[in-house]
Amino acid sequence: GGRSVGSHRAAQALRRLPSAGSRAALALELGYADQAHFNNEFRRFAGVTPRTFVERRGDDDESVILG
């Protein structure tokens, strides 16, 4: 269903977000209608906004702490 597609896209975003040049561009690449839709779905999946996810991320890829 739609939820599994959203979860798949959000999981892709988790992997790609730290190195993405632009959250808006990444949202479009992953098929979101706009950045707001991306932010909302990402927050539902990860428990934090994309910005907070990047800010909390350490130098080590395994050090991510989700809300």
Side-chain angles (χ1 to χ4, degrees):
R3 183 148 176 91
S4 63
V5 170
S7 295
H8 177 71
R9 287 191 304 186
Q12 286 184 352
L14 279 172
R15 288 190 299 274
R16 295 176 55 189
L17 186 60
S19 63
S22 159
R23 286 188 293 274
L26 179 60
L28 292 176
E29 284 177 33
L30 293 175
Y32 291 97
D34 55 34
Q35 189 173 354
H37 182 205
F38 168 68
N39 288 345
N40 290 332
E41 191 168 276
F42 188 95
R43 184 173 48 241
R44 279 194 301 273
F45 181 78
V48 295
T49 64
R51 178 183 297 225
T52 299
F53 175 79
V54 171
E55 288 172 353
R56 288 186 182 177
R57 192 174 173 279
D59 291 333
D60 179 2
D61 286 342
E62 301 301 318
S63 69
V64 176
I65 300 172
L66 300 179

